[in-house]
Each structure stands twice: as C-alpha cells, then as structure tokens.
Amino acid sequence: MPEVNIIVQNADGSPLMPTHHYGRVKRMLKVGKARIVSLKPFAIRLTYQIVNPGLDTVTLGIDPGRTNIGLSLIDSKGRNLGSYLVETDNRDIPHNVSNKKKHRQASRWGERKRRQRRAVAHDNTLKITELYRILPGCKKAIKCKGIKNSESRFNNRKRSEGWLTPTAKHLLNTHLRIVEIMSRYYPIANVAIEINRFDFAKMENPGIRNWEYQKGRLFGFKDRNDAVFHDQDGKCLLCGKRPIEHYHHIVPRGRGSESMDNIAGLCKQCHDLVHKDIHAQEQLKAKKQGLLKKHHAVSVINQIMPSLLKELSSRYPTYTTTGWQTQKMRAFYGYPQKEPDDGTHYIDAWLIAVDAMGITPAEIPAFEHVGTIMQFRRHDRARIHYQHERAYYLGKTKVCTNRHKRTGQTKTISLAEYRVLHPHEVSKLTVKKSTRGYNNMKRIMPGALVRWHGKILTVSGMHNTRYRFVETNICKEAPASECTIIRHNNGWAFI
C-alpha cells in the first residue's frame, strides 16, 4: 500500500478510511460526487452520505515530546495509514509569559499612577509620611504610601489541585489538540502512547547504584569548582573553546550564594569581558540557565504524563508501552537506534501502536512520505508595533532622552541629569516628542496559507511587503501582491 493516502470524509464531516485510489478520487471530484475541503492536508468530502461505511480499527500511535511529537496511524493489520512529525512552539512559552508579565506590570503601574494623581486632586493622600500595616499573609509590617487604605488583593490566589506550570499546561493542551485534529481526518478507534518516568540521576550516570541516589550533586568531587569543571567538560562557558582558568560568581558573592548554580567556569579573556561588558554578563546568565535546564524537556513530560493519560482515557480506549520496549522493537524491525533530536519520532509512534495493539505487521513501512505539522502562535494581540522615546537635541546632536530616567535606561542620560551637567544649555535644546506606531490587527500571522503561482505555501513571517515561507525549497519569499490568502493562521499548519 502506498504511504501517501488521501483523506476522505463523509457528507456529515465524519472521517472515513483514507484511500490511495487517486484515479477514482479524480473522477469523483470531476462528476461532483466529492469536493475538496482542505488542501494541506489534501482531504475530500463526499456529497452523499454513506450510512454504514464499515470502518476498520484505526489506532493512533503517539511518541510524546516537548519539541517534536511523533504520530502514526495504523489499521488492524498494522499497515501505515499516515505518519507525521509535529513541531511544537513550546520552547517559546517562557519568553511569551515573561513578556506578558512585563506588559501587565507596566499597565498596573500606569493605573496606580492614575489613582495617585486622582488622590492628590481630591486631597485623599496620606497625611503622615510613613504608615506600616500588617497585611493578610504577611508576618512583618509593610510600608504603605501614596493613597489611603488601598485594599490588599495580592494574597487571594491559590493553586488548584493538579496545577501545572504554563509550559506544562501548554504542552498538555498541544498533545490533546493534535489528537483532536487527527480525529477529524481519520476514524480513530484506539490510542497508543509511550509512557516514561525519566530518572535524571540515571541519565547523568547510567551505572548509578541505589545507595548513591541519596548523595548530593557534589558527591565524588573534591569541591564546587571541581563539579563545575566536570559539568562544563573543562571548557569556558561563555566562548566554549578555551580551558577554564577562573571561577566566576554570576551574582556577586555578597548578594548571591556559593552554590554550583551561581558559579561559572571561564577563561581569562571571557572573565575580563564579563566584568566590563553588561551584554557579556547577560549572555553568561542565559548560558548558565540553559546548562541548568538540560533535562527541562523530559521534566515537562514527567509533569504532564498523568494528566495526559487521564484525558486520553476519557476520550478513547488508551493503550500504553514503555521506552525500553520501543527500543527493542526498533532493533527487531531493523530501524537504527534513535539519536537525540534526529526527527524520527514517527518511527517510534508506529512501533508504539504496533506493540501496544499486539499486531504483527505484514509489511514494514519505509517512511518515505512523512508529513510535517507545525504549531504557530495564533496572535500576540500586540497593538503597539514600536515606540520612540522623547528626545532632546542640541543642534542636530541628540544629547538626552526622557524627562526623568526610566527603568533600564543605561545608554543615554535623562533631561534631569543633563540639566545638572549643563545648566546653561537647557534653554537651547529642541524637543522631539515620543512617537508610537501601531500594528494592523488584521495582519497576516505566521502559519497562514497563501497561493503563489499555483503553489500552496505556508507563511513563516513578513518583511516589509514580502512574505517569507516555510517551504524554502520551493520559494524563500515573494511579494505579498503576488500572493492570494487561502486561510489565516489557525494555530496549526500541515507542511
């Protein structure tokens, strides 16, 4: 059976068994017995209803992951009906949540300032300079300032049972959503999934003994520096080339700690650079955080697995298998052993489905035609595209920005500082007011489908008036005027 199958739906939209009879599909489209409902993936819908379609038992095999998820669908004889590699955007969640936090804090700060201005206008400010109150949930008194008796609302949030971090919750919803999407195109009767509880200590040391689990991170090392040297393989963390010569405290010793998480091994050149360049300091912090999160992906999988199994079991008969069984099946069927990030999760998904259902397949698929499904952020809801600060010029030279120094303003000075340094030149300054540019809220987002010279392409971004595409082997970018929008981004794109 060919691995490229055409998806077929009944007249009511319910999925039927996929077909590889291309000539028959072409004739049905020509005479009006079917119509095209999707171009990516290519799917047709019958114009007449089949009452008893006689569906085979289709099993969806899932190889869960954080960045890549493997999917394979098999029938009752183990034949491969379709395989997909799902590329998620889960790694962007911490950055998106951080940005959201900044915007919310800025909004609340602006609202607080407005309340303070109203309080001053209505003579509702505190009459004393300092007021200390013991607020709910606090053991020590907190200094209150600004306006009178503002009610405390920061201590009324509680985490419900089964609470997950934003990253884990997004990944859980991603797995459930992709199963829901597959159920639109294939008559899924069962779900098979690989479950693992990753042992981080064994991942670091495969030969670890039972009694060694109670030892700390410094067990076997003479001191912290020796452990840091081992973690970084003796190479400088910043440049990654030269050997370690110095051990640097990322947060200064007076304000930080002496733990391994606060120490980085650096060469002499990078150590000097970190003490002089703020960008090098930020880069070092980011690299240290990345080193500390080397098992973050499998940690998230550990978090979501109980909830994922519970949700899947409530929707489909769910069968499970383990990682070591999948590894044995790879060797049995002659597939090479899986390497990290090799992109062959769909092979594992087929093996998981076959093993969980106890099927001996008549033919082993070669996986020559594997589909790719990419996840895109639907919309960031950002109205502001750019914002330029108020600037002050002496002639044609910009000398300062903002009336008062804002948080994080390091490259330029404010007008207040310039007034102290050059009191007689302030009257000569010209002002350029702050400007703001807004996004078009109906703009095309990455993940949209467009038609360009008869080809269906997926938009990955936009630069000026040109679209950039995911399918770079067909076309890297093209003018927007030459493209016709077929579908806006709905969160997922079949490549």
Side-chain angles (χ1 to χ4, degrees):
M1 174 187 287
E3 293 190 37
V4 179
N5 292 295
I6 296 176
I7 297 170
V8 183
Q9 295 179 343
N10 216 338
D12 61 357
S14 59
L16 301 175
M17 293 299 294
T19 180
H20 60 278
H21 297 290
Y22 311 128
R24 183 181 178 187
V25 169
K26 187 175 181 179
R27 290 191 297 271
M28 292 178 69
L29 291 171
K30 187 175 181 179
V31 300
K33 291 186 176 181
R35 60 186 180 88
I36 298 174
V37 293
S38 174
L39 295 172
K40 281 192 173 185
F42 186 79
I44 64 170
R45 180 175 297 176
L46 304 181
T47 55
Y48 58 94
Q49 182 73 15
I50 299 179
V51 181
N52 295 314
L55 302 176
D56 197 353
T57 303
V58 177
T59 301
L60 172 64
I62 306 174
D63 180 25
R66 184 190 179 193
T67 305
N68 295 315
I69 304 171
L71 301 176
S72 281
L73 297 112
I74 64 171
D75 59 12
S76 59
K77 297 182 180 179
R79 290 178 295 190
N80 186 29
L81 302 177
S83 295
Y84 300 91
L85 179 66
V86 182
E87 299 180 5
T88 73
D89 65 347
N90 190 258
R91 292 187 183 275
D92 297 333
I93 297 303
H95 175 72
N96 295 339
V97 171
S98 177
N99 281 344
K100 180 180 178 181
K101 179 182 178 181
K102 291 178 183 177
H103 293 311
R104 292 179 68 182
Q105 286 179 336
S107 177
R108 288 171 179 172
W109 176 253
E111 179 61 30
R112 182 182 301 172
K113 285 305 206 181
R114 282 191 290 272
R115 291 205 313 270
Q116 289 179 354
R117 288 195 295 269
R118 294 192 195 103
V120 171
H122 294 84
D123 194 24
N124 197 29
T125 56
L126 294 173
K127 301 300 182 183
I128 56 178
T129 56
E130 293 183 356
L131 175 65
Y132 290 86
R133 297 171 59 196
I134 299 180
L135 299 176
C138 301
K139 296 182 179 179
K140 296 182 179 180
I142 295 178
K143 181 180 178 181
C144 301
K145 59 182 180 180
I147 58 180
K148 292 180 181 178
N149 299 327
S150 180
E151 183 181 356
S152 173
R153 293 190 294 246
F154 66 91
N155 196 42
N156 60 355
R157 296 179 181 178
K158 295 182 180 179
R159 293 178 178 176
S160 60
E161 185 178 356
W163 178 86
L164 295 173
T165 64
T167 305
K169 185 177 180 179
H170 175 272
L171 190 61
L172 172 63
N173 292 335
T174 296
H175 282 79
L176 296 176
R177 179 63 174 161
I178 199 63
V179 173
E180 180 184 343
I181 291 174
M182 288 293 105
S183 66
R184 297 177 185 175
Y185 300 122
Y186 297 91
I188 297 174
N190 305 308
V191 171
I193 187 171
E194 179 184 277
I195 57 172
N196 287 305
R197 297 294 293 178
F198 294 96
D199 187 340
F200 301 142
K202 186 165 287 189
M203 291 171 67
E204 293 284 349
N205 178 17
I208 191 171
R209 291 166 287 185
N210 292 339
W211 61 271
E212 291 179 328
Y213 278 90
Q214 61 184 332
K215 302 299 180 181
R217 295 171 64 187
L218 297 181
F219 177 73
F221 302 103
K222 61 181 181 180
D223 55 18
R224 283 183 294 270
N225 292 350
D226 188 28
V228 171
F229 185 92
H230 177 267
D231 276 357
Q232 298 178 200
D233 296 326
K235 299 294 183 181
C236 171
L237 183 59
L238 196 59
C239 68
K241 299 177 182 179
R242 293 182 286 269
I244 294 176
E245 298 177 87
H246 299 275
Y247 291 91
H248 172 74
H249 287 75
I250 299 174
V251 178
R253 191 176 305 180
R255 295 185 287 109
S257 66
E258 291 286 346
S259 67
M260 285 179 57
D261 297 346
N262 193 40
I263 298 175
L266 301 173
C267 63
K268 183 179 179 180
Q269 294 90 323
C270 291
H271 192 216
D272 293 339
L273 182 64
V274 165
H275 281 284
K276 298 175 183 177
D277 188 359
I278 187 172
H279 298 292
Q281 296 173 15
E282 296 298 326
Q283 186 180 3
L284 179 63
K285 288 181 183 179
K287 289 201 171 187
K288 186 65 177 180
Q289 289 296 323
L291 188 65
L292 296 175
K293 292 183 178 180
K294 55 185 174 181
H295 296 316
H296 189 256
V298 292
S299 174
V300 177
I301 296 297
N302 281 355
Q303 292 179 53
I304 71 167
M305 194 54 66
S307 301
L308 180 58
L309 286 175
K310 181 180 178 181
E311 291 291 336
L312 288 178
S313 300
S314 65
R315 305 179 187 188
Y316 300 97
T318 304
Y319 302 84
T320 61
T321 183
T322 59
W324 69 269
Q325 289 176 298
T326 306
Q327 189 174 5
K328 286 173 58 179
M329 294 281 286
R330 267 187 176 257
F332 180 78
Y333 286 105
Y335 293 112
Q337 291 300 316
K338 184 178 178 181
E339 299 293 335
D341 299 327
D342 63 355
T344 60
H345 299 269
Y346 47 86
I347 298 179
D348 283 355
W350 180 79
L351 295 171
I352 290 166
V354 169
D355 182 44
M357 302 307 296
I359 298 173
T360 302
E363 56 184 33
I364 301 175
F367 297 102
E368 296 176 351
H369 304 282
V370 178
T372 301
I373 306 174
M374 296 183 66
Q375 186 180 24
F376 292 91
R377 191 179 187 187
R378 295 194 64 178
H379 210 295
D380 58 5
R381 298 187 295 277
R383 290 180 58 86
I384 300 174
H385 178 56
Y386 67 86
Q387 184 168 349
H388 298 306
E389 299 174 313
R390 174 189 291 257
Y392 297 87
Y393 289 83
L394 183 61
K396 294 185 178 180
T397 305
K398 184 167 72 172
V399 293
C400 55
T401 55
N402 301 322
R403 294 188 182 97
H404 301 281
K405 203 163 191 176
R406 62 168 173 80
T407 303
Q409 182 178 340
T410 57
K411 296 183 179 181
T412 58
I413 62 174
S414 65
L415 178 63
E417 294 172 318
Y418 186 83
R419 190 185 300 274
V420 175
L421 297 174
H422 309 281
H424 302 295
E425 295 182 359
V426 175
S427 60
K428 301 177 183 178
L429 298 180
T430 57
V431 184
K432 185 176 181 180
K433 294 184 178 180
S434 61
T435 57
R436 178 181 289 181
Y438 294 91
N439 284 320
N440 178 9
M441 300 307 289
K442 296 182 180 180
R443 65 189 184 275
I444 301 300
M445 298 294 293
L449 288 184
V450 300
R451 188 190 303 275
W452 176 76
H453 295 308
K455 299 180 177 64
I456 309 299
L457 302 175
T458 308
V459 176
S460 64
M462 188 173 183
H463 179 67
N464 293 333
T465 58
R466 301 178 69 87
Y467 290 139
R468 292 175 178 171
F469 302 117
V470 175
E471 299 87 349
T472 54
N473 58 330
I474 300 176
C475 179
K476 292 185 178 180
E477 61 178 31
S481 59
E482 298 180 4
C483 302
T484 304
I485 304 298
I486 297 177
R487 191 202 67 198
H488 286 266
N489 172 29
N490 63 358
W492 298 92
F494 285 74
I495 308 302

